[in-house]
C-alpha cells in the first residue's frame, strides 16, 4: 500500500526490483537442480527396476488378502457380535449405576407426594429438604431432576397455603367454641374449689356450731347436697376426665408453626397469629347489649373470655416463641380493663339482688379459673367490692319493700298469745325477755306488735343475704365481720329508719298506732345487742375486738322514736285544732250559759281517753305529750280571743270563755298523766287565767300600778294583748249601749274603758320605743 501511496514512480521501481529478485532466485534454483540432477536420475533408474517386483508382490498380496478375507469373515462376524455384546453390557452397567443413583431420588419424591396426599406437610418439608440438599445434586444433569427442582418451590407454597388455611379454620373453630372451652374450664375450677371447700368443712368439726339453729340446719343440708352432687359427678366422670385443652385439636397450630419455621417464615406466622388473636380478643370482649338481663348472658361472656385465654395459655406452654408471657400479660391487661369497664356498666343496670349475687359467683369462678392459669386477678376482686356496694344497694331496696309490706300489714296491737306454744313461737323469732310477763298466766299479750319479730327476722335474713356475697372473696373473718356490720348499719340507719319515718308521717297512722310504734322501736332497740351477737357467731369474731364496729340501731330507733313522739305531739295539736274549729261562740252574748261549751268538754274527754293509752309509753313521753297538748290548747284559746277577724267581744262572752278555761284548768289539775309535780300542768293556762281574771275582776288599777314589777298579780298579761281585747270590748260596749249614754253608770264605764285604753297604748308605745 505504501508503494501505491508514495511517489508516482514507486510502483515501477518496485516491479523492477521484484524482477531482479526473481532472476536471482531462478539462478539459485538452477544451481540447486544442477547439483542434485545425478541423484534424481539414479533414483528413477532404481524405481524402474523395482516396478516389476512390485507388480508381483501386489498380485501376491491381493491373493493373500482375498484368501485372508474369506477366511476371516466368520471371525469378523463373531468379533462384531462380541463387540456388540460388550457394548450392551457396558451400557447396562452404566444404566444400572445411573438408576441406582436416581432411584433414591424417585423414591423420596414419591414419598413426598404420598406425604402431601395424607397431609403430613411437616414431614413433606423435611423430605424436600433432603431432596434438595442430598439427593437432587447427584442427578442434577437429568431433565426430570430439573422438573423436580422447579416443582419443589411450588409444593412449598402449596404447603404454606394449606397450613394457613388449616390455621384459619382452627381460629374460626376456637372462636365459635371458646364459650364451651371456657365453660368446661370454669366447671372444673368450680368443682375443684367445691371439693376442696367440702373437705375443709368436713375437717373443721366446729364449723358453724355457733350459727343460728334453724339456719344452721339449712346450711348443713345444703352442704350435704353439694358434697353428694360433687361425689356423684366425680363417679360419673371417673372413667374419663377431659380438661378444657382436650376439647381443642391444636395440631393445625403446631403444623403451621413447624412449617413456617422450616420455611424460615416463623416471624411472619407469629405476627399473623397474634394479630388474628388480638382481633378475636376484641370480639370476645365485646358484650351483648342485653347481657345484664339474665345470668346466662354473663355466663356466656365469661366462658368466651376464659376459653380464649385457656387456648393462649396452652399455646404459651406447648410452643416456643409463638406467644410469650409478655404478650399474654399485655393481652390480659387489655382484656381485664375492658372486662372491668363492661361489668361496671352492665352491673349498674341490675336491680335484682339475686342476679347480682349470681354475677358475683360467676366473677369469683371466672377469677379463680384464670388465676389457676397464672393470670393476675386482683383487680377483679377489687371490682367485686364495688359490686358488693351495689349488691347492698339492691338488697336495701328489696328490704325497703319488705319493711313497707310488714308495716302495712301490721295491726299495731300487742301480740296475743293463748298458750305456751304460741309464746315459744314468738320468742323463737324475737329475743323477748320480761320476767313480769312470764309470771302472768295465759292468755296474755306481748307489748310489741306483730311487725317487731318480723322486722327482726328480716334483718337477720338481710345479714345472711349480705354474707352470701362476702363468701369466696378470699377475705379474712375480720373483714367479713366488718362488711356485715357496715351493711347492717346501712339497713338500720337508712332503709329501716326511712321506712319508719315514712310510716310515722302517713296520714292513716293515728295516735294509738304511734304509741305502738314507740313501743316497737324500744324493743327493736333492745334487740340490737342480739343482732351483734348474731353477727359475731357467724363470723367467729368477738365483739371485744378493738376494730369491731358497732351497730347503729340504737340511734336509729331513738331517732324513729323521737319522730313518732313529735308526730304524737303534732297529731294531738291537730286534733285539738279540729275541736277548736267547731267552737261556735256568740261573742256578743249578754250573759254566759252557766256551763262550759260542748266542744271543749268533748275535747277534754278525748284528751283523757288518749292519755290513758299513753300509759304504756315512757313517763317523759306521756308527760311531754300532755304538757304540749295543754300548751297548744292554751295558745289556741288565746289566739281565738285575739283573732283579728273578731271585732267585738261582750262581757258575757268573756264569762263563757272563762268557764271553758276553768274546765281546762280542772283537767290539768286532775293529773291525766302521772308524774307532774305540783301545779306544773296548770301553768300551761297561766297566761289565759291572768288575762281573764283581769277582765272578770276589772282590776285595771292594780294591773297598771304593778305593771313591770316581779310581784305583779298580772305578771303574764302583756299590755298589747290586754289592749287588743279591751278595744274589742270597747267596740262592743259602744254598739250595745248606744242609747245608754244618757245613763250615768254606762257613761262612767265607757270613760273608764277609754282611759285604760289610752294608758295601755302608752305602755305599748313605750315598750316599742324601748325595743
Amino acid at each position: 500500500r505504501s508503494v501505491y501511496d508514495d511517489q508516482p514512480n514507486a510502483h515501477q521501481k518496485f516491479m523492477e526490483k521484484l524482477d531482479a529478485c526473481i532472476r536471482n532466485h531462478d539462478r539459485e534454483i538452477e544451481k540447486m537442480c544442477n547439483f542434485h540432477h545425478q541423484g534424481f536420475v539414479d533414483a528413477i533408474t532404481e524405481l524402474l527396476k523395482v516396478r516389476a517386483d512390485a507388480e508381483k508382490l501386489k498380485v501376491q498380496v491381493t491373493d493373500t488378502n482375498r484368501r485372508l478375507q474369506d477366511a476371516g469373515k466368520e471371525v469378523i462376524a463373531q468379533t462384531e457380535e462380541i463387540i456388540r455384546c460388550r457394548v450392551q453390557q457396558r451400557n447396562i452397567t452404566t444404566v444400572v449405576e445411573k438408576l441406582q443413583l436416581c432411584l433414591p431420588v424417585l423414591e423420596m419424591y414419591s414419598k413426598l407426594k404420598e406425604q402431601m396426599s395424607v397431609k403430613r406437610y411437616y414431614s413433606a418439608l423435611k423430605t424436600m429438604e433432603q431432596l434438595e440438599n442430598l439427593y437432587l445434586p447427584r442427578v442434577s444433569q437429568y431433565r426430570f431432576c430439573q422438573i423436580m427442582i422447579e416443582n419443589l418451590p411450588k409444593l412449598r407454597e402449596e404447603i404454606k397455603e394449606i397450613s394457613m388455611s388449616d390455621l384459619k379454620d382452627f381460629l374460626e373453630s376456637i372462636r365459635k367454641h371458646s364459650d364451651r372451652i371456657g365453660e368446661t374450664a370454669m366447671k372444673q375450677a368450680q368443682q375443684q374449689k367445691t371439693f376442696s371447700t367440702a373437705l375443709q368443712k368436713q375437717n373443721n368439726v366446729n364449723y358453724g356450731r355457733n350459727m343460728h339453729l334453724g339456719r344452721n340446719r339449712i346450711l348443713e343440708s345444703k352442704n350435704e347436697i353439694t358434697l353428694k352432687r360433687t361425689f356423684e359427678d366425680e363417679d360419673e366422670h371417673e372413667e374419663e376426665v377431659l380438661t378444657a385443652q382436650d376439647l381443642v385439636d391444636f395440631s393445625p397450630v403446631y403444623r403451621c408453626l413447624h412449617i413456617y419455621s422450616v420455611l424460615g417464615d416463623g416471624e411472619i406466622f407469629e405476627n399473623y397469629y397474634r394479630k388474628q388473636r388480638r382481633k378475636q380478643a376484641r370480639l370476645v370482649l365485646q358484650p351483648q347489649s342485653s347481657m345484664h338481663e339474665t345470668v346466662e348472658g354473663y355466663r356466656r361472656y365469661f366462658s368466651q373470655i376464659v376459653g380464649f385465654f385457656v387456648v393462649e395459655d396452652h399455646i404459651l406452654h406447648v410452643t416456643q416463641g409463638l406467644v410469650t408471657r409478655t404478650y399474654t400479660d399485655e393481652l390480659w391487661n387489655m382484656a381485664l380493663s375492658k372486662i372491668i369497664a363492661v361489668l361496671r356498666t352492665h352491673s349498674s343496670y341490675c336491680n335484682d339482688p339475686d342476679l347480682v349475687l349470681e354475677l358475683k359467683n360467676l366473677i369469683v369462678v371466672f377469677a379463680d379459673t384464670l388465676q389457676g392459669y397464672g393470670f393476675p386477678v386482683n383487680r377483679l376482686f377489687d371490682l367485686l367490692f364495688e359490686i358488693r356496694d351495689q349488691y347492698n344497694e339492691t338488697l336495701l331496696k328489696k328490704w325497703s319493700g319488705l319493711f313497707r309490706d310488714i308495716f302495712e300489714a301490721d295491726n299495731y296491737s300487742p301480740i296475743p298469745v293463748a298458750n305456751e306454744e304460741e309464746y315459744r313461737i314468738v320468742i323463737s323469732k324475737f329475743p323477748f325477755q320480761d320476767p313480769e310477763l312470764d309470771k302472768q298466766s295465759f292468755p296474755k299479750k306481748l307489748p310489741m306488735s306483730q311487725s317487731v319479730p318480723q322486722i327482726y327476722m328480716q334483718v337477720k335474713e338481710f345479714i345472711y343475704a349480705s354474707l352470701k356475697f362476702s363468701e369466696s372473696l378470699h377475705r379474712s373473718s375480720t373483714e367479713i365481720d366488718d362488711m356485715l356490720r357496715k351493711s347492717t348499719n346501712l339497713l338500720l340507719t337508712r332503709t329501716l329508719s326511712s321506712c319508719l319515718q315514712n310510716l310515722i308521717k302517713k296520714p292513716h297512722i293515728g295516735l294509738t298506732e304511734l304509741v305502738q310504734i314507740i313501743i316497737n322501736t324500744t324493743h327493736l332497740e333492745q334487740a340490737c345487742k342480739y343482732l351483734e351477737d348474731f353477727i359475731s357467731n357467724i363470723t367467729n369474731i368477738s365483739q371485744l375486738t378493738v376494730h369491731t364496729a358497732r351497730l347503729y340501731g340504737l340511734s336509729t330507733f331513738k331517732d324513729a322514736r323521737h319522730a313518732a313522739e313529735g308526730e304524737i305531739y303534732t297529731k294531738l295539736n291537730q286534733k285539738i285544732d279540729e275541736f277548736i274549729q267547731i267552737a261556735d261562740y256568740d261573742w256578743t252574748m249578754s250573759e254566759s250559759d252557766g256551763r262550759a261549751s260542748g266542744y271543749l268538754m268533748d275535747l277534754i274527754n278525748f284528751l283523757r281517753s288518749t292519755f290513758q293509752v299513753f300509759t304504756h309509753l315512757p313517763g317523759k313521753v306521756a308527760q311531754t305529750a300532755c304538757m304540749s297538748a295543754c300548751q297548744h290548747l292554751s295558745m289556741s284559746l288565746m289566739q281565738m280571743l285575739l283573732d283579728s277577724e273578731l271585732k267585738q267581744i261582750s262581757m258575757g262572752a268573756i264569762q263563757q270563755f272563762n268557764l271553758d278555761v276553768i274546765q281546762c284548768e280542772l283537767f290539768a289539775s286532775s293529773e291525766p298523766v302521772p308524774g307532774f309535780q305540783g301545779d306544773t300542768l296548770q301553768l300551761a293556762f297561766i297566761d289565759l287565767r291572768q288575762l281573764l281574771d283581769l277582765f272578770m275582776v276589772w282590776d285595771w288599777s292594780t294591773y297598771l300600778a304593778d305593771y313591770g314589777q316581779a310581784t305583779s298579780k298580772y305578771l303574764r298579761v302583756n299590755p298589747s294583748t290586754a289592749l287588743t281585747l279591751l278595744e274589742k270590748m270597747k267596740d262592743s260596749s259602744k254598739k250595745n249601749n248606744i242609747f245608754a249614754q244618757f245613763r250615768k253608770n254606762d257613761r262612767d264605764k265607757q270613760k273608764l274603758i277609754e282611759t285604760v285604753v289610752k294608758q295601755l297604748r302608752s305602755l305599748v308605745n313605750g315598750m316599742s320605743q324601748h325595743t
Side-chain angles (χ1 to χ4, degrees), residues 16 39 80 86 184 193 214 295 314 329 339 370 372 407 415 429 454 469 498 506 515 621 657 681 691 736 743 751:
E16 289 176 355
E80 290 177 352
R86 288 183 177 177
T184 303
K193 183 179 179 180
V295 70
H314 185 75
D329 290 344
I339 292 167
L370 288 174
F407 289 140
I415 301 176
K429 297 178 180 179
Q454 293 177 353
F469 197 95
S498 176
K506 286 188 175 182
V515 170
V621 177
F657 199 81
L681 193 58
L691 179 63
N736 294 331
R743 294 195 292 269
K751 288 180 181 179

Side-chain angles (χ1 to χ4, degrees), residues 114-130:
E114 182 180 356
Q115 289 171 341
M116 291 289 292
S117 63
V118 297
K119 299 182 178 180
R120 296 174 57 193
Y121 302 116
Y122 180 72
S123 300
L125 289 175
K126 292 296 184 181
T127 304
M128 288 184 197
E129 185 178 356
Q130 290 179 355

Side-chain angles (χ1 to χ4, degrees), residues 464-707:
Y464 280 123
S466 182
L467 177 63
K468 287 181 181 179
F469 197 95
S470 301
E471 294 174 345
S472 304
L473 291 185
H474 308 301
R475 297 293 174 178
S476 64
S477 299
T478 304
E479 291 175 308
I480 294 176
D481 182 86
D482 187 58
M483 287 188 284
L484 287 180
R485 292 178 185 273
K486 286 182 178 179
S487 58
T488 307
N489 277 329
L490 282 177
L491 178 72
L492 296 176
T493 58
R494 194 206 303 180
T495 305
L496 183 56
S497 176
S498 176
C499 291
L500 284 171
Q501 296 291 341
N502 293 333
L503 173 67
I504 292 169
K505 297 296 182 182
K506 286 188 175 182
H508 70 276
I509 298 296
L511 292 171
T512 304
E513 288 81 3
L514 288 171
V515 170
Q516 188 62 54
I517 289 173
I518 291 176
I519 296 172
N520 289 348
T521 54
T522 302
H523 287 283
L524 287 173
E525 178 182 339
Q526 295 171 355
C528 283
K529 62 179 181 179
Y530 296 100
L531 289 176
E532 290 185 345
D533 295 339
F534 177 72
I535 295 176
S536 297
N537 290 336
I538 290 178
T539 58
N540 291 326
I541 299 298
S542 174
Q543 296 185 39
L544 301 178
T545 305
V546 177
H547 301 290
T548 301
R550 300 299 178 187
L551 295 184
Y552 300 146
L554 300 178
S555 60
T556 298
F557 296 120
K558 283 182 180 178
D559 294 341
R561 190 159 55 251
H562 292 160
E565 293 169 3
E567 194 66 19
I568 286 177
Y569 308 150
T570 302
K571 287 188 179 296
L572 269 176
N573 294 341
Q574 290 176 352
K575 199 67 177 178
I576 292 172
D577 292 339
E578 292 176 4
F579 280 99
I580 295 295
Q581 288 175 2
I582 63 175
D584 187 16
Y585 283 102
D586 182 6
W587 297 106
T588 59
M589 65 173 59
S590 59
E591 293 182 1
S592 66
D593 294 338
R595 62 179 182 275
S597 302
Y599 85 92
L600 188 67
M601 297 306 298
D602 292 340
L603 172 58
I604 290 175
N605 291 332
F606 164 75
L607 292 176
R608 289 186 187 278
S609 61
T610 300
F611 291 138
Q612 288 178 358
V613 178
F614 287 4
T615 54
H616 298 293
L617 289 176
K620 292 184 179 180
V621 177
Q623 293 171 13
T624 304
C626 186
M627 177 59 75
S628 173
C630 291
Q631 289 176 346
H632 185 74
L633 177 58
S634 175
M635 189 181 302
S636 299
L637 292 174
M638 181 70 78
Q639 290 176 352
M640 189 184 300
L641 285 176
L642 302 179
D643 190 1
S644 60
E645 295 182 359
L646 179 61
K647 303 299 182 182
Q648 300 174 358
I649 300 178
S650 66
M651 193 62 194
I654 293 292
Q655 293 172 352
Q656 180 65 41
F657 199 81
N658 183 56
L659 292 175
D660 293 342
V661 173
I662 290 174
Q663 290 297 323
C664 293
E665 292 173 332
L666 290 174
F667 168 74
S669 62
S670 66
E671 197 175 6
V673 173
F676 286 106
Q677 296 180 356
D679 57 352
T680 303
L681 193 58
Q682 299 178 38
L683 293 177
F685 301 96
I686 188 65
D687 292 352
L688 269 175
R689 171 49 49 212
Q690 291 187 6
L691 179 63
L692 290 174
D693 285 348
L694 177 61
F695 278 86
M696 293 292 294
V697 180
W698 207 256
D699 193 7
W700 292 105
S701 59
T702 303
Y703 174 74
L704 294 173
D706 296 341
Y707 177 75

Side-chain angles (χ1 to χ4, degrees), residues 310-480:
V310 165
V311 171
E312 290 305 288
D313 180 76
H314 185 75
I315 294 295
L316 172 66
H317 288 89
V318 300
T319 61
Q320 295 181 351
L322 180 55
V323 296
T324 62
R325 175 57 69 181
T326 303
Y327 161 79
T328 55
D329 290 344
E330 178 185 353
L331 201 61
W332 170 244
N333 289 332
M334 181 271 292
L336 192 57
S337 300
K338 179 66 176 178
I339 292 167
I340 291 175
V342 167
L343 291 177
R344 278 177 178 159
T345 301
H346 285 264
S347 63
S348 62
Y349 297 111
C350 295
N351 296 320
D352 183 6
D354 294 333
L355 180 59
V356 178
L357 183 61
E358 290 181 349
L359 172 59
K360 167 258 174 182
N361 292 332
L362 281 177
I363 294 176
V364 170
V365 175
F366 173 74
D368 289 342
T369 303
L370 288 174
Q371 190 175 32
Y373 285 93
F375 295 99
V377 294
N378 292 333
R379 293 175 61 189
L380 284 174
F381 283 102
D382 293 338
L383 174 66
L384 283 174
F385 284 94
E386 299 179 19
I387 298 179
R388 182 202 63 189
D389 296 336
Q390 180 186 347
Y391 174 73
N392 286 335
E393 289 298 325
T394 58
L395 285 181
L396 292 176
K397 290 180 181 178
K398 179 180 178 180
W399 258 257
S400 176
L402 293 174
F403 289 154
R404 286 197 299 268
D405 294 340
I406 291 173
F407 289 140
E408 288 293 333
D410 194 8
N411 58 6
Y412 296 99
S413 300
I415 301 176
V417 287
N419 49 48
E420 183 72 23
E421 182 179 357
E422 292 182 3
Y423 180 73
R424 293 296 178 189
I425 292 174
V426 175
I427 63 174
S428 67
K429 297 178 180 179
F430 182 77
F432 174 74
Q433 295 178 356
D434 189 348
E436 295 296 330
L437 187 63
D438 292 340
K439 297 177 182 178
Q440 298 179 11
S441 61
F442 292 99
K444 53 188 175 183
K445 292 183 178 181
L446 303 181
M448 66 277 190
S449 66
Q450 193 63 45
S451 63
V452 172
Q454 293 177 353
I455 291 294
Y456 182 79
M457 291 300 296
Q458 286 301 327
V459 172
K460 292 175 69 174
E461 289 297 325
F462 176 87
I463 295 172
Y464 280 123
S466 182
L467 177 63
K468 287 181 181 179
F469 197 95
S470 301
E471 294 174 345
S472 304
L473 291 185
H474 308 301
R475 297 293 174 178
S476 64
S477 299
T478 304
E479 291 175 308
I480 294 176

Side-chain angles (χ1 to χ4, degrees), residues 206-217 219 460 464 467 471 534 536-540:
N206 296 323
Y207 179 80
R209 288 289 176 85
N210 295 325
M211 294 185 65
H212 193 267
L213 180 60
R215 189 70 177 187
N216 190 29
R217 291 175 180 172
L219 288 176
K460 292 175 69 174
Y464 280 123
L467 177 63
E471 294 174 345
F534 177 72
S536 297
N537 290 336
I538 290 178
T539 58
N540 291 326

Side-chain angles (χ1 to χ4, degrees), residues 270-314:
E270 292 172 7
N271 293 334
Y272 175 81
Y273 177 85
R274 295 179 185 180
K275 181 179 179 181
Q276 294 301 316
R277 290 297 280 167
R278 281 194 179 96
K279 290 181 179 179
Q280 290 187 349
R282 294 187 184 96
L283 293 175
V284 166
L285 294 171
Q286 190 66 30
Q288 296 181 354
S289 58
S290 59
M291 184 179 71
H292 63 278
E293 296 177 357
T294 60
V295 70
E296 290 301 323
Y298 288 108
R299 181 176 285 109
R300 180 174 177 82
Y301 180 68
F302 288 135
S303 298
Q304 289 178 343
I305 297 173
V306 170
F308 178 88
F309 283 100
V310 165
V311 171
E312 290 305 288
D313 180 76
H314 185 75

